[in-house]
Amino acid sequence: MGKRRKVIHNTQPPHKLNARGQRPQKGTTPSKPRKTPQTQHDEATIPFAPEDKILLVGDGDLSFAASLVEHHYCADVTATVLEKTFDYLVDKYPHVPENIAKVEAEGSKVLYNIDATKMAPFVDKKGRDATGVMDRIIFNFPHVGGKSTDVNRQVRYNQELLVSFFKRATPSLAPGGTIIVTLFEGEPYTLWNIRDLARHSGLQVDRSFKFQAAAYPGYHHARTLGVVKSKNGEVGGGWKGEDRAARSYIFVRKDDESRPAPNSSKKRSRPEDSDSSDDD
């Protein structure tokens, strides 16, 4: 196990990160931003704190988990993948051993063969009195893969995936905990109606915000089917999901109030800023 980094917590108001994953420098007076699409939404909302107990579901190549541990100093991360073994995972993502090493070096862990629709609850004890232990459960870009080329069928399959995930994830939530799901914006993802699916699963939307991949250094969107390879077997090419607009949705149990992370924002939507946090 590597040496634990010292995490310093201050009593300053919740902060946001800029698009480069950096905090504003102290002692500088920020200039008034121009109201243009390029500069208006540089700040990124971070929906967790370093001390949170975090469960990552379907984390692909584990680059997101590695970023949480290495750059956000998260001390208790459980990253899960659907692949049955380490070898299966490496076959899909040849670069994954480096990310695994970063996660495990700091005391966090990687679990294999975890199906989001069938996973057992993460609780403090067995039985009826069991209580969930996860402060944040994060599922980035859930997708069933290429089950069908028909849009309507794909929508239905992914809706079923999300409903089953919500059902399985909820028992793992600690009191005041949140489930965070990130989806690409636009169709067909808007057709999934994730807000309604959550409502029917006993959850409610606390807020949503623009997901900015740049706030997670080292993170790259991992395709469900694995890396793109050329005819010669070389890795590379294909579209980059981290460059595509995406939105994160924070869900809580109905009649429950989320426990905000110290470094997240609770601001609500403003008429001039459609990408800020919003109401359900």
Side-chain angles (χ1 to χ4, degrees):
M1 182 182 298
K3 184 177 180 181
R4 170 61 55 195
R5 297 182 178 88
K6 182 178 181 181
V7 179
I8 300 176
H9 301 280
N10 57 44
T11 57
Q12 298 299 317
H15 73 267
K16 286 188 175 184
L17 303 181
N18 61 26
R20 295 180 180 179
Q22 302 170 330
R23 300 183 186 182
Q25 295 183 356
K26 295 182 178 179
T28 60
T29 301
S31 59
K32 186 175 181 180
R34 297 178 182 178
K35 292 185 177 181
T36 62
Q38 289 78 14
T39 61
Q40 190 177 12
H41 310 307
D42 281 345
E43 294 182 337
T45 298
I46 306 301
F48 53 81
E51 64 271 18
D52 283 342
K53 193 174 182 67
I54 301 174
L55 172 65
L56 302 181
V57 178
D59 201 37
D61 68 353
L62 298 166
S63 60
F64 190 77
S67 184
L68 263 60
V69 171
E70 187 174 35
H71 297 282
H72 290 274
Y73 312 123
C74 294
D76 194 343
V77 176
T78 299
T80 71
V81 295
L82 177 62
E83 288 70 28
K84 294 181 179 181
T85 65
F86 170 82
D87 291 336
Y88 276 105
L89 190 63
V90 173
D91 185 57
K92 288 181 68 173
Y93 311 108
H95 57 284
V96 78
E98 181 180 351
N99 292 329
I100 294 175
K102 291 176 180 178
V103 173
E104 295 183 340
E106 295 296 341
S108 290
K109 57 187 175 182
V110 176
L111 301 180
Y112 301 92
N113 197 27
I114 304 298
D115 186 335
T117 67
K118 301 176 182 179
M119 64 180 180
F122 292 81
V123 292
D124 57 353
K125 57 184 177 181
K126 296 181 179 180
R128 294 182 178 180
D129 296 330
T131 301
V133 298
M134 295 297 176
D135 299 308
R136 316 292 171 194
I137 300 177
I138 302 176
F139 198 174
N140 288 327
F141 306 105
H143 200 283
V144 296
K147 279 192 172 184
S148 173
T149 57
D150 181 80
V151 174
N152 291 329
R153 289 184 179 179
Q154 275 280 10
V155 168
R156 185 169 67 253
Y157 291 148
N158 283 292
Q159 287 178 325
E160 292 172 353
L161 166 65
L162 285 171
V163 169
S164 296
F165 161 68
F166 286 141
K167 180 180 179 181
R168 291 291 182 173
T170 302
S172 298
L173 280 179
T178 57
I179 295 175
I180 304 161
V181 179
T182 301
L183 300 176
F184 289 121
E185 295 195 294
E187 294 187 356
Y189 306 96
T190 52
L191 300 177
W192 298 3
N193 296 319
I194 188 171
R195 294 170 182 262
D196 289 336
L197 298 179
R199 289 191 188 98
H200 292 301
S201 302
L203 301 168
Q204 61 187 11
V205 181
D206 181 60
R207 57 195 170 111
S208 73
F209 59 90
K210 182 179 179 181
F211 174 84
Q212 297 202 38
Y216 303 94
Y219 166 70
H220 300 286
H221 179 79
R223 298 174 71 251
T224 304
L225 300 179
V227 298
V228 176
K229 295 183 179 180
S230 67
K231 294 181 179 179
N232 298 327
E234 298 177 350
V235 176
W239 62 279
K240 294 184 178 181
E242 57 267 25
D243 294 336
R244 186 172 178 178
R247 178 162 290 272
S248 295
Y249 300 85
I250 299 181
F251 301 99
V252 297
R253 291 189 183 94
K254 287 184 179 179
D255 302 322
D256 194 7
E257 184 175 349
S258 66
R259 184 178 69 255
N263 60 347
S264 65
S265 171
K266 289 294 290 182
K267 290 194 297 184
R268 296 294 181 177
S269 60
R270 294 173 294 178
E272 69 274 16
D273 186 357
S274 62
D275 286 324
S276 62
S277 299
D278 62 13
D279 286 321
D280 179 20

